Each structure stands twice: as structure tokens, then as C-alpha cells.
Amino acid sequence: MKMISIKKSDWAGAMEKVQKSYRLAGPVKEKKGHTFRELKDGETPDLEYSETRMSVKEVVLPQSEVMFSYSLDENKEGHHILEEVPFDETPRAAVGIRPYDAKAVEILKKNFMTEDYKDPYFERRYENLTLVGMAENNPSPVNFSTSCGTGPFDESCLDIILADAGDSYIGKALTEKGEKFAAAAGFAEGDSGVEAKLAELKEQAEGKIKSKVSFDKIEKMTILDLYEAPFWEEAAFACINCGTCTYACPTCWCFDIQDEVKGKDGVRMRNWDTCMSEVYSVHTTGHDPRHEAWQRTRNRFMHKLKYYLDKYEDGIMCVGCGRCVSQCPVNIDIRKVCQQMNDYEPSK
Amino acid sequence: MDAYTDKIKEISKKILSEGKVDVVIGFRKGTLGYMSEPYMAKSEKEAENLVFDCNCRMNLVNYVTNRKDKVGIVVKGCDSRNLVTHIIENKIKREQLYIIGVPCTGLADKKALLDLAEGEITSVEDDNETITIKGDGFEKKVAKSDVLQSNCKTCIKRNPVIFDELAGPEVAELEISDRFADVDEVEKMSADERWNFFGELLSECTRCYACRNACPLCYCPTCFVDESRPQWVGKSDNETDVLTYHFLRAFHDAGRCTDCGACEAACPMDIKMRYFTRKTIKDCVEKYGSEAGMELDKRPALDQYKINDPNEFIK
Amino acid sequence: MSEFEPKIITFLCNWCSYGAADLAGVSRFQYPPSMRVIRVPCSGRVSPKMILSAFRKGADGVWVSGCHPGDCHYISGNYYARRKFDVLNEMLEYVGIEKGRLHFSWISSAEGVKFAAVAKDVIETVTKLGPAKKFIKKLPEVA
């Protein structure tokens, strides 16, 4: 494990250097604040940010991704055949993601890269991606990552972790991928003090997180008990069933496959989908098992906090980034709902 | 506007206990200091949770669509106009409603509050003149006019047009000199500039449809964006599809939009989609002299006609 | 650009303008062949979605023609249509579609001459504007 230390004044230079061999995605300051997106050549990931509304999900599971293209034009070569779409194999790096967002990528992996089946689109994006994390010294008030098995300094899912130490960034290369990236960027080697400083910053940052969720009792309840709990209609009353929470969520992985055709040419693509929408669950018969708005809201929380928990036995499908809490137009708060579920006592 | 809270509780308890209504739809305190959550009180006890403040940004008319029971509802001036439209369009009956009107002095812009805060906001207090933002180790007072939601600055009806009881004395209506200054500004641009302006405006849209779902006018059983036969619009983040969505959504609301601002308040990306709806308001006012939802016997602008409507654009 | 022949989607009311187009044809009035006619039961049937759909699919111009005010087969369809079109027309220009891509007319079934004249005018205006570039839905680019 290599220690890293880089002066802030050298950051732009290092990123310019690394862009010779990597395509980068990272936080960029725009008019309304920071957004996380693919960077153009010469753009520097701005690590001096507090939050990005969209997460690193876009990099491994883009909102819209073309899977195949085809043509019915018999004058064209390979007509009537689904053609795989070429993919740029240049290594990529997501620079400046929050450590708990990296944990979210790990959660996505559980769905897209199982032992039996590997989703080729996710896999190829994931495999050549280096995750360069930027620890969060001042977690936002809605952040509850520490109770979701991760945290603002969680190293477990990153290739490199960086942290703000005044006039320089310090950190560690945690994996081989990370070391390669560090070499390509020419990060200077940090001294022995780095480790201690990181630990100190970590303790401070984690100490600032006041909001918590607990799900210890949810584990022990049956699905049906929770499903039929009486609080759902009230908890979901305000929900307008928009897709804000699902799109902002770094762990929501649902997608929808669509064909788009123009003339004789077409593409098959997949787009993010949201369980909040009625068309998500309606059957071709017209029957909709989740016809009522509150049933769809219940499904989202049940999936995140119960079904996932039972299926994977590895915590909840939430990293506590707080995006859904701060972006929800009607203030539906997953922390409160989780508490409600955990506190629920099914009548025997 | 905090002073309305007590009165709203009082009225709600009264109508619930007298059996005048089955539920009261209002707001309760949110988990974040700058948010209030739409809430339905079913009993006198639950009515105790009701609040009203400058964070009540959602339009509650959204929650009464097609209800069959007797409903008490808390409405501001703009919301009450949506209620009128709802009644005209048979989405709810007047007899089902007990309307608690709120003479409104405007809502606080969420983004403006967050920009002013120096940390976590724990409460936002509003005495109609000054907004006090309190938080973790800070307290800030600002003039309410400085943090108003932009639709509240050009509000034409702060007092409810229809109500059974008011939660406070009526307030003076605003005098607005240049109601459509923002739309005029865009109209002055060249066609290409306008095209780029709207492209830029929508560039961050993720099509979460928060704006559509926050809107009480958007009650179609199946929205055109969700239709598949014919499929009017693609489902991806394609810019033409995004524009088509916003364009047609605004058009569907033409002559019905009351500029309540719920769409913009709901947007997680702070997109100013009221540039679209306000253009339709301007046209309906200027061409047909029609303001949405002002009277129970006046149908929306595009649902009526006059023999001598403007005809110059037709050959 | 002189070679440019625009594609114009034309919605004609069954009870008047469609008859006028027929009359213009029978009377051998000349106008350029740039139009694709869609017969509709009433100008009031034409939804903004249809007009947008035409533009999205690459139409260089759209022309809707119905009965004169007062002559609607369904009494008031064209009156409602008029308000709808006025607001739509304004909205399209507002988002940056060039003035002159969208046209409306009232043409009765007896007005074959007017039909040919308006057709010429519409085609000339759209030709001058050149190929449409805005509001066209393209297939996603495949890298």
C-alpha cells in the first residue's frame, strides 16, 4: 500500500498528465453547483465540492446506453442483424467520488455481476474503471453513511483514497489499479505521517455524522409482516411518485429496454427506470399489482430495506449518502421510514 | 405565515369532530428544517400535527384528485385557483370540500434558504416580513422579499378565490408592474438564441417527472410520455425527447396553469421550467383575457372560444 | 440550396380543405409537389402532438387547414382549434422554431384557387427557410 501526498497546486497538472492514458469522470463546478459527469479533455475534477446531485452510478450504469444497433436496409452490410455497439476500451477513472458512493458501485455489482451471470455492459464499464475516492471531511447533515456499513472515509471499495489535508491531498493507493493510476498521475509518495493524519481526519469526519438508521430488527421480521404493516399509507401519503429518489440513488439499479427506430435503422437501448412510475409495474394485461401510489413507495423501501437485506445478507441497499432525503420534493425521509420499519411490532 | 398554524388546527379539529369532513389534507413539519410534508389528518389527534409556513411548497390540490370522501384542504391563493379548475373539470365536487383558505404572503425559495445557511437548517420562521433561518450554530434574518420563490413575486392572487373559512385576515394583493418580464426577455432573443436558451435550460433534466407529478393539472390516467401506441416521445435522456416532454407538458397546462410554482420547487435539478408555462399564461391573458381558475363558471382558455378570437395568424 | 425540396406535412379537414385540394387537382392548378397530405375529420382533431411529431420526424414545415370560422361541420371544432393553434404557434416560435415553418389556413371546398395559392406560399416560405434543423429526433449516436 502506497501513501500519497499531492499539493493542491499540483492537482490540475497531475490530472492533465493522467488524462493521457485515462478518460476521467468527476465533479465539475457548474452554474448551479457541482455535477458529476464525464470530463472533457483538459477538464480537471474539482475536489473542493460538498456534494453532487447525481452519483457515480452514471459512469457504470448510464441513464441511457445503446446496447445494439440494427438496420433493415438490405443495401447495408449486416442488415437484419443486431450489431454490438463499439466500446471505447481506454481505461477510465472516476475521480473524486465519495467513499460511500464506491460502496454503492459494489452494491450494483451484486446485481450485474453475479457468479452465474455477468451483464456485459456493466462489466466492461466496471472492469476498466479506477475508483479514486475523495474522503469527506464535512459530511452533510443528511449523511448517515456510517450506519450503512460504510462512511466518509471508507476504503473498502476504492482503488485510491484521497483526503483534504489543508494545502495538499493525502491518501493511499489501495489496489493495483490504484497504484497504476497514481503512477500515471505522478502522485508524490507521502511520508509516514499520512496514515496517522488520515485516521485523525476520519475520526473527526465520522464524529460529525449525527443522523443514523438502524435495521437490526427489520432483519428478524417476516416480509409479510412488514408488507402489511399499517403505516405505509401514511408514510407514503405525500409521495408524488416522481423518479427523483431513484435516479439520484447510487444503488437503484432498475432499467428498462427500449427500441428506437428511424426509417429502416434502429437501436436497442436501456434507460434508467423507476419503480415510482406506474408503467414500471403494470402488466400487459392492464393489471397493475402496485396500482396505488403508496404501494409503489412501499415497494421502494421494502426493496432497499428488506428484500435486499434478506436476499444478500449484507446490510441494506443504501449507502446513506442522503441524496434522496435532500432532493425529495415532499420530504419523504428514508431515515424516518427505516426507523418506522425497525420500530414496528407486528401483532402476534 | 406561522400564525396560521393554530387557526388551521382549530378549524380542522372542528370540521373533523363535527363530521363535516373525513380527512383534512394539509402539511406537517418535515424532517428537514426547510421542508414541510404534505399530510392527511384523519382524526382530531392527527390534526394536531398540521402546520403552515413558508416551506409549504407543494400544491395540495394534487392530493384531492378523484377522491370520493369529504375532504378538508388547506389552500393558498394559487392552489385555490387549481381547486376551481379541478371542480370545473369534474375531478372533485365542491360539496365534498371544506376549503381552509390561507391568505398567502409567499413561500421561501428552498435554494435561496440553503445558499444562506451556514450549516444544517433546523428551522425557518416567517412573520410575513422577515424570515429567520436557524441552524446549527447560526441564526440569520433576511427580508422575506429577498428569498421569495420567483412565482410568488409575480403572484396575482394571494387570497384564495374560493374557501369555506380563512386561516387569517385577507392580505393586500401585490401590485405588479411587469408581470411577464422573464418571458419578454426570452422573446426579445433571436430564434437561435431562444433555441440555445431552452437547450441550456433543460440540459440537466433527468426526466424524473417531479415537475409533472407535483402539478395538480397533470392528472391524465396515462401521460403522453408513457404511451407506447403511438409512442410520441422516446424514453432516454435525449435532448429532443426532453424538450418534447417539457414543451407538451406546458402546452397541456395552457390556460389552466396558476403559476403555483410547485413544479420548480419540486425539481431536484433546479430547472426553471416555468419559462414554458408562463409563456402560455401570458398568451392566454393577452389573447383571451383569461386567467386560470378565477371563477367557477369560467372554463379554461383553451376549452372555450369567442367568434372574434385573434385570426391574423391564419391564412 | 436551390435544389432543396422541402417536406411539408399537411393536415387537411375532410369537409373543406381536403375537397379544395381535390378541386385544385381536378382544375389542374399547378403547385410544387412537396406536400404529404393527411386527411383529418376536423382541424380540431389535430393535436399539438401530431404537429410536434411531424417536426420530430424531420418535416421542414407543417400546414394545417380547416373550414372557415362558422362553417365547421361539427359546429365549433375550428374555433377551439384556433385557440389551440395560436398558443401552439407562439410556443413553437418561443422555443426557437423559425417563424414560417408552421402554417394555418381556412379554405372551403370551393376554394381550389386559394388552396393552390396558399400551397405555393407555404412551400415558398419553407423552401426559403431551408432544411429544418431543430426539434428533430435523431437516433442516438453509436460510438
Side-chain angles (χ1 to χ4, degrees), chain A residues 30-35 53-54 58 62-64 141-142 210 233-245 247 256 258-260 269 271-272 274 276-279 325-333 335-336 340, chain B residues 25-26 28-32 34-40 42 46 58 62-63 67 110-111 119-120 200-201 204-210 212-214 221-222 226 231 234-238 241 265-271:
Chain A
E30 283 179 345
K31 261 182 295 175
K32 293 181 225 158
H34 282 86
T35 38
R53 288 184 227 213
M54 288 292 152
E58 173 73 33
Q63 174 156 20
S64 300
V142 290
K210 295 280 180 282
E233 271 195 77
E234 192 220 319
F237 172 77
C239 181
I240 57 174
N241 292 99
C242 66
T244 301
C245 49
Y247 290 173
D256 176 34
Q258 289 274 325
D259 271 25
E260 287 197 357
M269 62 201 302
N271 305 306
W272 288 350
T274 163
M276 293 290 117
S277 144
E278 197 170 354
V279 282
V325 180
S326 58
Q327 292 181 28
C328 178
V330 295
N331 194 203
I332 290 191
D333 193 324
R335 298 170 297 179
K336 191 170 149 192
Q340 227 166 347
Chain B
I25 295 176
R28 68 174 163 190
K29 207 179 160 337
T31 61
L32 305 172
Y34 56 92
M35 294 291 285
S36 292
E37 181 189 347
Y39 175 66
M40 185 163 74
K42 292 178 177 163
E46 287 178 351
M58 285 296 105
N62 211 1
Y63 298 90
R67 282 196 82 93
K110 186 163 81 179
K111 181 100 193 341
E120 180 176 10
E200 180 73 16
L201 187 82
E204 284 185 272
C205 177
T206 61
R207 293 181 72 181
C208 69
Y209 299 138
R212 175 191 74 182
N213 293 14
T222 307
D226 292 333
Q231 185 163 350
K235 306 250 185 188
S236 71
D237 56 3
N238 174 285
D241 289 333
C267 182
M269 308 305 274
D270 291 327
I271 293 167

Side-chain angles (χ1 to χ4, degrees), chain A residues 66 69 85-86 260-262 265-267 269, chain C residues 56-58 136-143:
Chain A
V66 179
S69 65
V85 170
E260 287 197 357
V261 181
K262 184 153 195 170
D265 300 325
V267 295
M269 62 201 302
Chain C
R56 281 170 51 89
K57 292 191 167 141
I136 301 176
K137 171 70 193 289
K138 298 188 188 93
L139 278 188
E141 276 184 39
V142 177

Side-chain angles (χ1 to χ4, degrees), chain B residues 53-313:
Chain B
D53 55 29
C54 59
N55 303 317
C56 297
R57 300 180 188 91
M58 285 296 105
N59 187 329
L60 297 179
V61 177
N62 211 1
Y63 298 90
V64 302
T65 312
N66 293 335
R67 282 196 82 93
K68 300 284 178 266
D69 49 355
K70 286 182 285 174
V71 185
I73 179 172
V74 178
V75 290
K76 311 184 288 290
C78 46
D79 309 345
S80 74
R81 294 168 58 202
N82 285 112
L83 214 42
V84 167
T85 306
H86 251 50
I87 295 166
I88 293 174
E89 294 175 352
N90 296 321
K91 287 290 116 189
I92 190 96
K93 290 198 183 76
R94 178 66 182 93
E95 305 80 74
Q96 281 173 270
L97 295 168
Y98 194 94
I99 305 168
I100 305 169
V102 171
C104 174
T105 54
L107 302 177
D109 186 86
K110 186 163 81 179
K111 181 100 193 341
L113 296 178
L114 287 169
D115 286 347
L116 282 167
E118 291 157 14
E120 180 176 10
I121 298 176
T122 49
S123 76
V124 177
E125 286 161 19
D126 168 23
D127 68 1
N128 288 337
E129 299 288 329
T130 317
I131 300 259
T132 312
I133 311 168
K134 286 184 187 163
D136 214 5
F138 71 94
E139 183 176 323
K140 257 190 179 173
K141 280 186 192 299
V142 280
K144 187 166 179 179
S145 55
D146 291 342
V147 290
L148 272 188
Q149 259 185 203
S150 82
N151 64 308
C152 301
K153 291 180 190 158
T154 54
C155 176
I156 59 155
K157 200 78 186 85
R158 309 211 290 177
N159 297 297
V161 294
I162 177 176
F163 57 85
D164 291 300
E165 211 166 327
L166 286 180
E170 294 209 351
V171 293
E173 295 292 346
L174 291 178
E175 279 177 39
I176 310 155
S177 53
D178 206 359
R179 184 174 167 200
F180 295 108
D182 50 345
V183 179
D184 294 339
E185 203 63 37
V186 178
E187 285 178 339
K188 273 185 219 146
M189 300 178 195
S190 72
D192 286 343
E193 282 169 346
R194 288 198 295 271
W195 182 253
N196 295 335
F197 173 82
F198 284 106
E200 180 73 16
L201 187 82
L202 300 177
S203 63
E204 284 185 272
C205 177
T206 61
R207 293 181 72 181
C208 69
Y209 299 138
C211 46
R212 175 191 74 182
N213 293 14
C215 179
L217 300 170
C218 281
Y219 57 64
C220 290
T222 307
C223 177
F224 74 96
V225 296
D226 292 333
E227 276 175 352
S228 49
R229 281 189 187 180
Q231 185 163 350
W232 298 105
V233 52
K235 306 250 185 188
S236 71
D237 56 3
N238 174 285
E239 54 186 21
T240 310
D241 289 333
V242 172
L243 176 63
T244 308
Y245 158 63
H246 282 281
F247 184 99
L248 280 176
R249 188 190 79 85
F251 190 84
H252 278 188
D253 300 344
R256 303 160 71 225
C257 175
T258 61
D259 208 18
C260 73
C263 48
E264 271 185 14
C267 182
M269 308 305 274
D270 291 327
I271 293 167
K272 304 285 171 219
M273 72 290 283
R274 277 174 51 255
Y275 271 107
F276 290 96
T277 47
R278 283 177 58 70
K279 167 68 178 163
T280 66
I281 297 176
K282 182 183 174 207
D283 285 346
C284 289
V285 171
E286 289 181 355
K287 288 177 195 290
Y288 313 120
S290 172
E291 297 278 5
M294 298 299 261
E295 293 158 63
L296 274 170
D297 54 1
K298 238 180 137 190
R299 299 195 67 83
L302 296 196
D303 196 18
Q304 53 161 311
Y305 64 89
K306 289 205 179 85
I307 306 290
N308 57 354
D309 279 337
N311 198 54
E312 300 75 39
F313 70 104

